[in-house]
Amino acid sequence: MKQSWKPGTMLNPLPAVLVSCGDAECSNLITVAWTGTICTNPPMLYISVRPERYSYQMIKESMEFTVNLTTTAMARAVDWCGVRSGRDYDKWKECGLTPVPGVSVACPAVAESPLSIECRVKEIMRLGSHDMFIADVLNVLADEAYIDPDTEAFDLAKANPLVFSHGNYYATGEHLGRFGFSVKKKK
């Protein structure tokens, strides 16, 4: 039997990412779990950010940001960047993270991230507690340490991504199959 609960954001887990914004002279990191894919062609994603957050104005002014996937090894930094403000701290320095220049955007990427997705804002939707930044993906930076030499594909399991669910961080589980494995003919 299922219980009926009040409406809520129960679609979990979500990736816990670090979003970098700003430029080479003044940048910040913000932890975001309200993020996801919108479209494959053209490649688009979104992040949702509260307008009172320090990074919000930086993103709104530059209309650029970089989504940096995180690993379980980065869990402390991800949490710290989510509870401290860039108004008061240099999050890069405090968390021992390394900014690397963006390729297609002015904001830096996180060197320790296995995958960084450079984005340009296409539209801002005011939704309520958060505004959604809908963005075109301009470039993806993949750490070679996570690329399978045989397939040349990004090895997500090796990256051990961090996910977020109802106020808690989790590691992802084992690989169970590739898209379409349930109908693939056996050899």
Side-chain angles (χ1 to χ4, degrees), residues 31-112:
T31 301
V32 171
W34 309 146
T35 185
T37 301
I38 295 176
C39 188
T40 303
N41 190 16
M44 296 175 69
L45 59 74
Y46 79 92
I47 61 170
S48 290
V49 180
R50 290 179 184 268
E52 60 269 18
R53 299 289 189 231
Y54 178 65
S55 295
Y56 178 93
Q57 198 59 39
M58 294 175 92
I59 295 168
K60 192 172 179 184
E61 286 176 11
S62 70
M63 298 296 278
E64 296 179 339
F65 59 86
T66 298
V67 173
N68 301 277
L69 295 187
T70 61
T71 65
T72 54
M74 298 171 71
R76 184 189 175 283
V78 172
D79 184 63
W80 202 93
C81 287
V83 296
R84 297 291 187 226
S85 174
R87 288 183 187 95
D88 306 319
Y89 297 95
D90 178 342
K91 293 182 184 182
W92 298 95
K93 180 180 169 191
E94 295 289 334
C95 293
L97 296 173
T98 311
V100 294
V103 173
S104 299
V105 294
C107 58
V110 177
E112 294 76 10

Side-chain angles (χ1 to χ4, degrees), residues 5-15 33-35 46 48 50 127-130 132 164-168:
W5 290 359
K6 68 178 183 171
T9 53
M10 300 299 293
L11 186 60
N12 284 288
L14 300 164
W34 309 146
T35 185
Y46 79 92
S48 290
R50 290 179 184 268
L127 299 173
S129 62
H130 292 68
M132 180 188 297
F164 185 79
S165 181
H166 303 290
N168 297 287

Side-chain angles (χ1 to χ4, degrees), residues 106-183:
C107 58
V110 177
E112 294 76 10
S113 170
L115 199 73
S116 300
I117 307 166
E118 298 178 333
C119 301
R120 177 162 298 123
V121 176
K122 184 175 186 145
E123 182 180 348
I124 302 171
M125 291 182 65
R126 299 189 56 83
L127 299 173
S129 62
H130 292 68
D131 286 359
M132 180 188 297
F133 291 89
I134 297 172
D136 290 317
V137 174
L138 303 179
N139 189 48
V140 178
L141 302 168
D143 187 329
E144 292 178 357
Y146 300 99
I147 298 174
D148 183 306
D150 296 327
T151 63
E152 296 184 4
F154 183 77
D155 187 342
L156 189 65
K158 189 175 181 182
N160 202 11
L162 187 65
V163 296
F164 185 79
S165 181
H166 303 290
N168 297 287
Y169 298 99
Y170 295 93
T172 54
E174 65 182 287
H175 178 256
L176 301 177
R178 182 175 171 82
F179 179 76
F181 80 98
S182 65
V183 297

